[in-house]
Coordinates of all heavy atoms in Angstrom, one line a residue:
G19 N 17.2 20.9 -49.0 CA 16.6 20.4 -47.7 C 17.4 20.7 -46.5 O 16.8 21.1 -45.5
N20 N 18.7 20.6 -46.6 CA 19.6 20.9 -45.5 C 19.5 22.4 -45.1 O 19.6 22.8 -44.0 CB 21.0 20.5 -45.8 CG 21.2 19.0 -45.8 OD1 20.5 18.3 -45.2 ND2 22.3 18.6 -46.5
A21 N 19.4 23.3 -46.1 CA 19.5 24.7 -45.9 C 18.2 25.4 -45.6 O 18.2 26.5 -45.1 CB 20.1 25.4 -47.1
T22 N 17.1 24.7 -45.9 CA 15.8 25.3 -45.8 C 15.2 25.2 -44.4 O 15.0 24.1 -43.9 CB 14.8 24.7 -46.8 OG1 15.3 24.8 -48.1 CG2 13.4 25.4 -46.7
P23 N 15.0 26.3 -43.7 CA 14.3 26.2 -42.4 C 12.8 25.9 -42.5 O 12.2 26.1 -43.6 CB 14.5 27.6 -41.8 CG 14.7 28.5 -42.9 CD 15.3 27.7 -44.0
A24 N 12.2 25.4 -41.5 CA 10.8 24.9 -41.5 C 9.9 26.1 -41.9 O 8.9 25.9 -42.7 CB 10.4 24.4 -40.2
W25 N 10.1 27.3 -41.4 CA 9.2 28.4 -41.8 C 9.2 28.7 -43.2 O 8.2 29.1 -43.8 CB 9.5 29.6 -40.9 CG 10.9 30.2 -41.1 CD1 12.0 29.9 -40.4 CD2 11.3 31.2 -42.1 NE1 13.1 30.6 -40.8 CE2 12.7 31.4 -41.9 CE3 10.6 31.9 -43.0 CZ2 13.4 32.3 -42.7 CZ3 11.3 32.8 -43.8 CH2 12.7 33.0 -43.6
L26 N 10.4 28.6 -43.9 CA 10.5 28.9 -45.3 C 9.9 27.7 -46.1 O 9.2 28.0 -47.1 CB 12.0 29.1 -45.7 CG 12.2 29.5 -47.2 CD1 11.5 30.8 -47.5 CD2 13.7 29.7 -47.4
A27 N 10.0 26.5 -45.7 CA 9.5 25.3 -46.4 C 8.0 25.4 -46.4 O 7.3 24.9 -47.3 CB 9.9 24.0 -45.7
N28 N 7.4 26.1 -45.4 CA 5.9 26.3 -45.4 C 5.4 27.0 -46.6 O 4.3 26.8 -47.0 CB 5.6 27.0 -44.1 CG 4.1 26.9 -43.8 OD1 3.4 25.9 -44.1 ND2 3.6 27.9 -43.1
D29 N 6.3 27.9 -47.2 CA 5.9 28.6 -48.3 C 5.9 27.8 -49.6 O 5.4 28.3 -50.7 CB 6.7 29.9 -48.5 CG 6.5 30.9 -47.4 OD1 5.5 30.8 -46.7 OD2 7.4 31.7 -47.2
F30 N 6.6 26.7 -49.6 CA 6.7 25.8 -50.8 C 5.3 25.2 -51.1 O 4.5 25.0 -50.2 CB 7.7 24.7 -50.7 CG 9.2 25.3 -50.5 CD1 10.1 24.4 -50.0 CD2 9.5 26.6 -50.8 CE1 11.4 24.9 -49.8 CE2 10.8 27.0 -50.7 CZ 11.8 26.2 -50.2
N31 N 5.1 24.7 -52.4 CA 3.9 24.0 -52.6 C 4.0 22.6 -52.0 O 5.1 22.1 -51.7 CB 3.6 24.0 -54.1 CG 4.6 23.2 -55.0 OD1 5.2 22.3 -54.5 ND2 4.7 23.6 -56.2
A32 N 3.0 21.9 -51.9 CA 2.9 20.6 -51.2 C 3.8 19.5 -51.8 O 4.6 18.8 -51.1 CB 1.5 20.0 -51.1
S33 N 3.9 19.5 -53.2 CA 4.7 18.4 -53.8 C 6.2 18.7 -53.6 O 7.0 17.8 -53.4 CB 4.4 18.4 -55.3 OG 4.6 19.6 -56.0
R34 N 6.6 20.0 -53.6 CA 8.0 20.3 -53.4 C 8.4 20.0 -51.9 O 9.4 19.5 -51.7 CB 8.2 21.8 -53.7 CG 9.7 22.2 -53.6 CD 9.9 23.6 -54.0 NE 11.2 24.0 -53.8 CZ 11.6 25.3 -53.9 NH1 10.8 26.3 -54.2 NH2 12.9 25.6 -53.8
R35 N 7.5 20.3 -51.0 CA 7.8 20.0 -49.5 C 7.9 18.5 -49.4 O 8.8 18.0 -48.7 CB 6.6 20.5 -48.6 CG 6.8 21.9 -48.2 CD 5.9 22.2 -47.0 NE 4.5 21.8 -47.2 CZ 3.5 22.6 -47.8 NH1 3.7 23.8 -48.1 NH2 2.3 22.1 -47.9
H36 N 7.0 17.7 -50.0 CA 7.0 16.3 -49.9 C 8.3 15.7 -50.5 O 8.9 14.8 -49.9 CB 5.8 15.6 -50.6 CG 4.5 15.9 -49.8 ND1 3.3 15.9 -50.5 CD2 4.3 16.1 -48.5 CE1 2.4 16.2 -49.6 NE2 2.9 16.3 -48.4
A37 N 8.7 16.3 -51.6 CA 9.9 15.8 -52.3 C 11.1 16.1 -51.4 O 12.0 15.2 -51.3 CB 10.1 16.5 -53.6
L38 N 11.2 17.3 -50.8 CA 12.3 17.6 -49.9 C 12.3 16.7 -48.7 O 13.4 16.2 -48.3 CB 12.3 19.0 -49.5 CG 12.6 20.1 -50.6 CD1 12.5 21.5 -50.0 CD2 14.0 19.8 -51.1
I39 N 11.2 16.4 -48.1 CA 11.1 15.5 -46.9 C 11.5 14.1 -47.3 O 12.3 13.5 -46.5 CB 9.7 15.6 -46.3 CG1 9.4 16.9 -45.7 CG2 9.5 14.5 -45.3 CD1 8.0 17.2 -45.3
V40 N 11.0 13.6 -48.4 CA 11.4 12.2 -48.8 C 12.9 12.1 -49.1 O 13.5 11.2 -48.7 CB 10.5 11.8 -50.0 CG1 11.1 10.5 -50.7 CG2 9.1 11.6 -49.7
A41 N 13.4 13.1 -49.8 CA 14.8 13.1 -50.1 C 15.7 13.2 -48.8 O 16.7 12.4 -48.6 CB 15.2 14.4 -50.9
Q42 N 15.2 14.0 -47.8 CA 15.9 14.0 -46.5 C 15.8 12.7 -45.8 O 16.8 12.3 -45.2 CB 15.4 15.2 -45.7 CG 15.8 16.6 -46.2 CD 17.3 16.8 -46.1 OE1 17.9 16.6 -45.1 NE2 17.8 17.2 -47.3
A43 N 14.7 12.1 -45.8 CA 14.5 10.8 -45.1 C 15.4 9.7 -45.7 O 16.0 8.9 -45.0 CB 13.0 10.4 -45.2
I44 N 15.4 9.7 -47.1 CA 16.3 8.7 -47.8 C 17.7 9.0 -47.4 O 18.5 8.0 -47.1 CB 16.0 8.8 -49.3 CG1 14.7 8.2 -49.6 CG2 17.1 8.0 -50.0 CD1 14.2 8.4 -51.0
K45 N 18.2 10.2 -47.4 CA 19.5 10.6 -47.1 C 19.9 10.2 -45.7 O 21.0 9.7 -45.4 CB 19.8 12.1 -47.4 CG 21.2 12.5 -47.2 CD 22.1 11.9 -48.3 CE 23.5 12.4 -48.1 NZ 24.4 11.6 -48.9
L46 N 19.0 10.5 -44.8 CA 19.2 10.2 -43.4 C 19.3 8.6 -43.2 O 20.2 8.1 -42.4 CB 18.1 10.7 -42.5 CG 18.2 12.2 -42.2 CD1 16.9 12.7 -41.5 CD2 19.4 12.6 -41.4
G47 N 18.5 7.9 -43.9 CA 18.6 6.4 -43.9 C 19.9 5.9 -44.4 O 20.5 5.0 -43.8
Q48 N 20.4 6.5 -45.4 CA 21.7 6.1 -46.0 C 22.8 6.5 -45.0 O 23.7 5.7 -44.8 CB 21.9 6.8 -47.3 CG 21.1 6.3 -48.4 CD 21.1 7.2 -49.7 OE1 21.6 8.3 -49.6 NE2 20.6 6.7 -50.8
N49 N 22.7 7.7 -44.4 CA 23.7 8.0 -43.4 C 23.7 7.1 -42.2 O 24.8 6.7 -41.7 CB 23.5 9.5 -42.9 CG 23.9 10.5 -44.0 OD1 24.5 10.2 -45.0 ND2 23.4 11.7 -43.8
L50 N 22.5 6.8 -41.7 CA 22.4 5.8 -40.6 C 23.0 4.5 -40.9 O 23.7 3.9 -40.1 CB 20.9 5.7 -40.1 CG 20.4 6.9 -39.4 CD1 18.9 6.7 -39.1 CD2 21.1 7.1 -38.0
T51 N 22.7 4.0 -42.1 CA 23.2 2.7 -42.5 C 24.7 2.8 -42.6 O 25.4 1.9 -42.1 CB 22.6 2.3 -43.9 OG1 21.2 2.3 -43.8 CG2 23.2 1.0 -44.4
D52 N 25.3 3.8 -43.2 CA 26.7 4.0 -43.3 C 27.4 4.0 -41.9 O 28.4 3.4 -41.7 CB 27.1 5.2 -44.1 CG 26.8 5.1 -45.6 OD1 26.5 4.0 -46.0 OD2 26.8 6.1 -46.3
D53 N 26.8 4.8 -41.0 CA 27.3 4.9 -39.7 C 27.2 3.6 -38.9 O 28.1 3.2 -38.1 CB 26.5 6.0 -38.9 CG 26.9 7.4 -39.4 OD1 27.8 7.5 -40.2 OD2 26.1 8.3 -39.1
A54 N 26.1 2.8 -39.1 CA 26.0 1.5 -38.4 C 27.0 0.6 -38.9 O 27.7 -0.2 -38.1 CB 24.6 0.9 -38.7
V55 N 27.3 0.6 -40.2 CA 28.3 -0.3 -40.8 C 29.7 0.1 -40.3 O 30.5 -0.7 -39.9 CB 28.3 -0.3 -42.3 CG1 29.5 -1.0 -42.9 CG2 27.0 -1.0 -42.8
T56 N 30.0 1.4 -40.2 CA 31.2 1.9 -39.7 C 31.4 1.5 -38.2 O 32.5 1.0 -37.8 CB 31.3 3.4 -39.8 OG1 31.2 3.8 -41.2 CG2 32.6 4.0 -39.3
M57 N 30.4 1.7 -37.4 CA 30.4 1.3 -36.0 C 30.7 -0.2 -35.9 O 31.5 -0.7 -35.0 CB 29.1 1.6 -35.3 CG 29.1 3.0 -34.8 SD 27.5 3.5 -34.0 CE 26.9 2.0 -33.2
F58 N 30.0 -1.0 -36.7 CA 30.2 -2.5 -36.6 C 31.6 -2.9 -37.0 O 32.2 -3.7 -36.3 CB 29.2 -3.2 -37.6 CG 29.2 -4.6 -37.5 CD1 28.7 -5.3 -36.4 CD2 29.8 -5.4 -38.5 CE1 28.7 -6.7 -36.3 CE2 29.9 -6.8 -38.4 CZ 29.3 -7.4 -37.3
I59 N 32.1 -2.2 -38.0 CA 33.5 -2.6 -38.5 C 34.5 -2.2 -37.3 O 35.4 -2.9 -37.0 CB 33.9 -1.8 -39.8 CG1 33.1 -2.5 -40.9 CG2 35.3 -1.8 -40.0 CD1 33.2 -1.7 -42.2
K60 N 34.3 -1.0 -36.7 CA 35.2 -0.6 -35.6 C 35.1 -1.6 -34.4 O 36.1 -2.0 -33.8 CB 34.8 0.8 -35.2 CG 35.3 1.8 -36.1 CD 35.0 3.2 -35.6 CE 35.4 4.3 -36.6 NZ 35.1 5.6 -36.2
L61 N 33.8 -2.0 -34.1 CA 33.6 -3.0 -33.0 C 34.3 -4.3 -33.3 O 35.0 -4.8 -32.5 CB 32.1 -3.2 -32.8 CG 31.8 -4.3 -31.8 CD1 32.2 -3.9 -30.4 CD2 30.3 -4.6 -31.8
M62 N 34.1 -4.8 -34.5 CA 34.8 -6.1 -34.9 C 36.3 -5.9 -34.9 O 37.0 -6.8 -34.4 CB 34.3 -6.5 -36.3 CG 32.9 -7.0 -36.3 SD 32.6 -8.4 -35.3 CE 31.5 -7.7 -34.0
G63 N 36.8 -4.8 -35.4 CA 38.2 -4.6 -35.4 C 38.8 -4.5 -34.0 O 39.8 -5.1 -33.7
R64 N 38.1 -3.9 -33.1 CA 38.5 -3.8 -31.7 C 38.5 -5.2 -31.0 O 39.5 -5.6 -30.4 CB 37.7 -2.8 -30.9 CG 38.3 -2.5 -29.5 CD 37.5 -1.5 -28.8 NE 36.4 -2.2 -28.1 CZ 35.1 -1.8 -28.2 NH1 34.8 -0.7 -28.9 NH2 34.2 -2.4 -27.6
L65 N 37.4 -5.9 -31.3 CA 37.4 -7.3 -30.7 C 38.4 -8.2 -31.3 O 39.1 -9.0 -30.5 CB 36.0 -7.8 -30.9 CG 34.8 -7.1 -30.2 CD1 33.5 -7.8 -30.6 CD2 35.0 -7.1 -28.7
F66 N 38.7 -8.1 -32.6 CA 39.7 -8.9 -33.2 C 41.1 -8.5 -32.6 O 41.9 -9.4 -32.3 CB 39.7 -8.6 -34.7 CG 40.7 -9.3 -35.5 CD1 40.5 -10.6 -35.9 CD2 41.9 -8.7 -35.8 CE1 41.5 -11.3 -36.6 CE2 42.9 -9.4 -36.5 CZ 42.7 -10.7 -36.9
S67 N 41.3 -7.2 -32.5 CA 42.6 -6.8 -31.9 C 42.8 -7.3 -30.5 O 43.9 -7.7 -30.1 CB 42.7 -5.3 -32.0 OG 43.8 -4.8 -31.4
Q68 N 41.7 -7.2 -29.7 CA 41.8 -7.7 -28.3 C 42.0 -9.2 -28.2 O 42.8 -9.6 -27.4 CB 40.5 -7.3 -27.5 CG 40.3 -5.9 -27.2 CD 39.0 -5.6 -26.6 OE1 38.1 -6.4 -26.6 NE2 38.8 -4.3 -26.1
A69 N 41.4 -9.9 -29.1 CA 41.6 -11.4 -29.1 C 43.0 -11.7 -29.6 O 43.6 -12.6 -29.0 CB 40.5 -12.0 -30.0
N70 N 43.5 -11.0 -30.5 CA 44.8 -11.2 -31.0 C 45.8 -10.9 -29.9 O 46.8 -11.6 -29.7 CB 45.1 -10.3 -32.2 CG 46.0 -11.0 -33.2 OD1 46.3 -12.2 -33.1 ND2 46.6 -10.2 -34.1
S71 N 45.6 -9.8 -29.2 CA 46.5 -9.4 -28.1 C 46.5 -10.5 -27.0 O 47.5 -10.8 -26.4 CB 46.1 -8.1 -27.5 OG 46.3 -7.1 -28.4
R72 N 45.3 -11.0 -26.7 CA 45.2 -12.1 -25.7 C 45.9 -13.3 -26.1 O 46.6 -14.0 -25.3 CB 43.8 -12.4 -25.4 CG 43.1 -11.4 -24.5 CD 41.8 -11.8 -24.0 NE 41.3 -10.8 -23.1 CZ 40.0 -10.6 -22.8 NH1 39.1 -11.4 -23.4 NH2 39.6 -9.7 -22.0
K73 N 45.8 -13.6 -27.4 CA 46.5 -14.8 -28.0 C 48.0 -14.6 -27.8 O 48.7 -15.5 -27.4 CB 46.1 -15.0 -29.4 CG 46.8 -16.2 -30.1 CD 46.3 -16.3 -31.5 CE 47.0 -17.5 -32.2 NZ 46.6 -17.6 -33.6
K74 N 48.5 -13.4 -28.1 CA 50.0 -13.1 -28.0 C 50.4 -13.2 -26.5 O 51.4 -13.7 -26.2 CB 50.3 -11.8 -28.6 CG 50.3 -11.7 -30.1 CD 50.6 -10.3 -30.6 CE 50.5 -10.3 -32.1 NZ 50.7 -9.0 -32.6
Q75 N 49.5 -12.7 -25.6 CA 49.8 -12.8 -24.2 C 49.9 -14.2 -23.7 O 50.8 -14.6 -23.0 CB 48.8 -12.0 -23.4 CG 49.0 -11.9 -21.9 CD 50.3 -11.2 -21.6 OE1 50.7 -10.2 -22.3 NE2 51.0 -11.5 -20.5
R76 N 49.0 -15.0 -24.1 CA 49.0 -16.5 -23.8 C 50.2 -17.1 -24.3 O 50.9 -18.0 -23.6 CB 47.7 -17.2 -24.3 CG 46.5 -17.0 -23.4 CD 45.4 -18.0 -23.8 NE 45.1 -18.0 -25.2 CZ 44.2 -17.3 -25.8 NH1 43.5 -16.4 -25.1 NH2 44.0 -17.4 -27.1
H77 N 50.6 -16.7 -25.5 CA 51.8 -17.3 -26.1 C 53.1 -16.9 -25.3 O 53.9 -17.7 -25.0 CB 52.0 -16.8 -27.5 CG 53.2 -17.3 -28.2 ND1 53.3 -18.6 -28.6 CD2 54.3 -16.7 -28.6 CE1 54.5 -18.8 -29.2 NE2 55.1 -17.7 -29.2
M78 N 53.1 -15.6 -24.8 CA 54.2 -15.2 -24.0 C 54.2 -15.9 -22.7 O 55.3 -16.3 -22.1 CB 54.2 -13.7 -23.8 CG 54.4 -12.9 -25.1 SD 56.0 -13.2 -25.8 CE 57.1 -12.5 -24.6
E79 N 53.1 -16.1 -22.1 CA 53.0 -16.8 -20.8 C 53.4 -18.3 -20.9 O 53.8 -18.9 -20.0 CB 51.6 -16.7 -20.2 CG 51.2 -15.3 -19.8 CD 49.7 -15.1 -19.5 OE1 48.9 -16.0 -19.7 OE2 49.4 -14.0 -19.0
G80 N 53.2 -18.8 -22.1 CA 53.5 -20.2 -22.3 C 54.8 -20.5 -22.9 O 55.1 -21.6 -23.3
R81 N 55.7 -19.5 -22.8 CA 57.1 -19.7 -23.4 C 57.8 -20.8 -22.7 O 58.5 -21.6 -23.3 CB 57.8 -18.4 -23.3 CG 57.4 -17.4 -24.3 CD 58.1 -16.1 -24.2 NE 59.6 -16.3 -24.4 CZ 60.5 -15.4 -24.2 NH1 60.1 -14.2 -23.8 NH2 61.7 -15.6 -24.4
T82 N 57.7 -21.0 -21.4 CA 58.4 -22.1 -20.7 C 57.9 -23.4 -21.1 O 58.7 -24.4 -21.3 CB 58.3 -21.9 -19.2 OG1 56.9 -21.9 -18.8 CG2 58.9 -20.7 -18.7
D83 N 56.6 -23.6 -21.3 CA 56.0 -24.8 -21.8 C 56.5 -25.1 -23.2 O 56.8 -26.3 -23.5 CB 54.5 -24.8 -21.8 CG 53.9 -24.7 -20.3 OD1 54.6 -25.1 -19.4 OD2 52.8 -24.2 -20.2
T84 N 56.5 -24.1 -24.0 CA 57.0 -24.2 -25.4 C 58.5 -24.7 -25.4 O 58.9 -25.6 -26.2 CB 56.8 -22.9 -26.2 OG1 55.5 -22.5 -26.1 CG2 57.3 -23.1 -27.6
A85 N 59.3 -24.0 -24.6 CA 60.7 -24.4 -24.5 C 60.9 -25.8 -24.0 O 61.7 -26.6 -24.6 CB 61.4 -23.5 -23.5
K86 N 60.0 -26.3 -23.1 CA 60.1 -27.6 -22.6 C 59.7 -28.6 -23.7 O 60.4 -29.6 -23.9 CB 59.1 -27.8 -21.4 CG 59.2 -29.1 -20.6 CD 58.4 -29.0 -19.3 CE 57.1 -29.7 -19.5 NZ 56.3 -29.7 -18.3

Side-chain angles (χ1 to χ4, degrees):
N20 286 339
T22 304
W25 61 269
L26 184 57
N28 194 31
D29 293 341
F30 297 163
N31 65 32
S33 61
R34 186 173 176 193
R35 275 196 312 269
H36 291 151
L38 289 178
I39 291 171
V40 168
Q42 289 297 309
I44 291 170
K45 185 65 177 170
L46 286 173
Q48 291 169 345
N49 289 346
L50 287 173
T51 301
D52 291 347
D53 291 346
V55 169
T56 300
M57 277 179 28
F58 184 76
I59 288 170
K60 286 180 181 179
L61 173 67
M62 290 299 110
R64 190 177 81 232
L65 294 178
F66 179 82
S67 177
Q68 288 173 351
N70 212 18
S71 294
R72 284 190 175 156
K73 182 179 176 182
K74 286 178 182 177
Q75 183 63 32
R76 279 194 309 270
H77 181 69
M78 291 302 292
E79 291 168 356
R81 284 177 64 190
T82 56
D83 294 336
T84 304
K86 189 169 99 177

